[in-house]
Amino acid sequence: MDLNAIRSKLNSLQQTNKGGGQNNTSLFWKPSIGKQTIRIVPNKFNKSNPFTEVYFHYGIGERTMISPINFGEKDPIVEFAKQLRTTSDKENWRLAKKLDPKMRIFVPVVVRGEEEQGVKLWQFGKNTYLEFLSLADDDDIGDYTDIHQGRDITVDTVGPDVTGTAYNKSSVRVKTKQTPLGEADQIQKWLDDQANPMEVFKRHSFEDMKSNLQSFLSPEDETTGETSDDLPFDKGGSQNNYAVKAPQKESKVDKFDELFS
C-alpha cells in the first residue's frame, strides 16, 4: 500500500467534507450486527491502494446503475446535471445534486473464521473510508494490509435501534498485534482469486441510462397519459419526480438528443 497516496486521498476527502449489479451475493461481504474480525487483502488490480472508488446512480430507474464516468465515458445523467447547473434556478440545482452519482468504496477482505470462503468484496461509504485512510495515516499503525506484518481489523456494527435510522452503522479498529495474512499457499490464492469491483456490475448503455432519466424526470401524467420533456423544470405533482413542459410536437428523444448532442 502506498501510504503517501493514501495520505493524499485522506486530505482530499477531508477538504471535501469541509466544503460541503451483479446478483452474486457470494462475491460480497456485509457485516452483521456485533463484532467481526477481517483482514484487508492487497488489491490484485491496484497494488498501491486496496480501496476502489466506484460511482453509482441510485433511485433513477428500477435498478442501481453504475456510472460510465468510472470508465472514462460520458454519462447522460451527469451531462444533464451539468445543464441544470447552468441555470440560476434553485430547484434545478437541487435536482442536479440528486442526479450526481454517489461514491461507494470496495475493498477485498477475508473474514476470520470463514477463510475457506475466500476473498470477498466489502462495500461501504465515505465515513468508513475516512476511518481506514486515517488509520493508514497513523505512523504507529502503518500498512495494515501487509501480508507478513499487517493487522487484522475489528468491525463493530450496531443496528437501527442504536443508529436511530433504518440502517446499520459500522466502525473499525485495527488489532495491536501484527500477524501474517495466512499460510503461504493460502496467501497466494487470496492474492490471485479476487473479483474486480469495476466488472461485477451490469453496465447500461448510454441510451438505456437516458431512457431511465427521461422516465424519472417526466413520469406519465396520471390524468392525460401524456408526458412533457423540455427545460426549464417545474416540480410536478408526482412525488420525487419533476415535470417538464415542452411543445407536444417534439418527442422526448428529440429533446434529449438535442440536449446531449
Side-chain angles (χ1 to χ4, degrees):
M1 181 164 61
D2 186 337
L3 295 182
N4 288 327
I6 291 295
R7 291 187 180 104
S8 177
K9 173 57 66 175
L10 171 63
N11 181 64
S12 173
L13 287 178
Q14 287 176 333
Q15 292 301 317
T16 300
N17 278 349
K18 292 177 181 177
Q22 178 164 311
N23 295 324
N24 188 350
T25 55
S26 66
L27 290 176
F28 301 96
W29 176 72
K30 182 178 180 180
S32 55
I33 294 175
K35 293 183 179 180
Q36 293 172 275
T37 302
I38 64 165
R39 181 64 168 264
I40 293 180
V41 182
N43 192 335
K44 174 182 178 180
F45 308 98
N46 186 350
K47 305 300 183 187
S48 65
N49 191 341
F51 305 102
T52 304
E53 301 175 5
V54 188
Y55 288 83
F56 296 91
H57 290 289
Y58 296 96
I60 303 172
E62 295 181 359
R63 293 180 176 273
T64 297
M65 295 182 289
I66 189 169
S67 172
I69 66 172
N70 292 293
F71 313 99
E73 300 172 3
K74 186 173 288 189
D75 182 333
I77 300 174
V78 170
E79 295 301 311
F80 193 72
K82 289 179 182 178
Q83 292 289 330
L84 292 174
R85 288 190 170 98
T86 63
T87 73
S88 58
D89 188 282
K90 291 182 180 179
E91 286 297 314
N92 284 352
W93 279 72
R94 291 191 186 97
L95 176 57
K97 185 175 182 179
K98 184 177 180 64
L99 295 178
D100 287 339
K102 307 303 185 291
M103 180 177 69
R104 297 293 290 173
I105 314 303
F106 292 81
V107 65
V109 302
V110 289
V111 182
R112 292 308 190 195
E114 302 176 6
E115 287 91 347
E116 73 283 353
Q117 296 185 24
V119 177
K120 295 180 179 293
L121 290 173
W122 178 22
Q123 69 159 308
F124 43 80
K126 190 173 181 179
N127 290 337
T128 301
Y129 190 23
L130 281 167
E131 285 190 74
F132 275 121
L133 296 181
S134 297
L135 291 171
D137 189 42
D138 188 334
D139 291 333
D140 291 332
I141 296 175
D143 185 359
Y144 44 78
T145 69
D146 187 275
I147 61 174
H148 301 296
Q149 295 181 316
R151 302 173 192 263
D152 287 354
I153 293 169
T154 298
V155 181
D156 192 358
T157 304
V158 294
D161 58 322
V162 177
T163 65
T165 69
Y167 306 100
N168 295 346
K169 181 179 180 180
S170 297
S171 58
V172 297
R173 176 176 54 84
V174 294
K175 299 268 190 181
T176 303
K177 185 178 180 180
Q178 292 177 300
T179 58
L181 173 59
E183 300 295 333
D185 56 343
Q186 195 176 40
I187 291 174
Q188 193 57 54
K189 179 176 176 59
W190 288 340
L191 293 176
D192 292 338
D193 297 344
Q194 296 182 24
N196 188 342
M198 301 294 288
E199 296 178 354
V200 299
F201 297 95
K202 177 184 177 181
R203 293 181 61 178
H204 295 260
S205 69
F206 188 94
E207 291 300 319
D208 186 26
M209 296 189 71
K210 192 168 69 172
S211 176
N212 279 304
L213 175 59
Q214 291 171 347
S215 298
F216 172 77
L217 293 172
S218 307
E220 188 171 89
D221 186 274
E222 292 182 357
T223 56
T224 65
E226 296 177 349
T227 58
S228 52
D229 49 295
D230 199 5
L231 293 172
F233 297 104
D234 296 313
K235 196 167 185 180
S238 205
Q239 185 179 4
N240 296 327
N241 288 297
Y242 288 75
V244 185
K245 298 180 180 180
Q248 294 195 6
K249 64 181 180 180
E250 292 195 68
S251 69
K252 286 182 178 182
V253 174
D254 291 336
K255 296 306 295 181
F256 274 77
D257 283 346
E258 177 183 333
L259 179 62
F260 294 124
S261 64

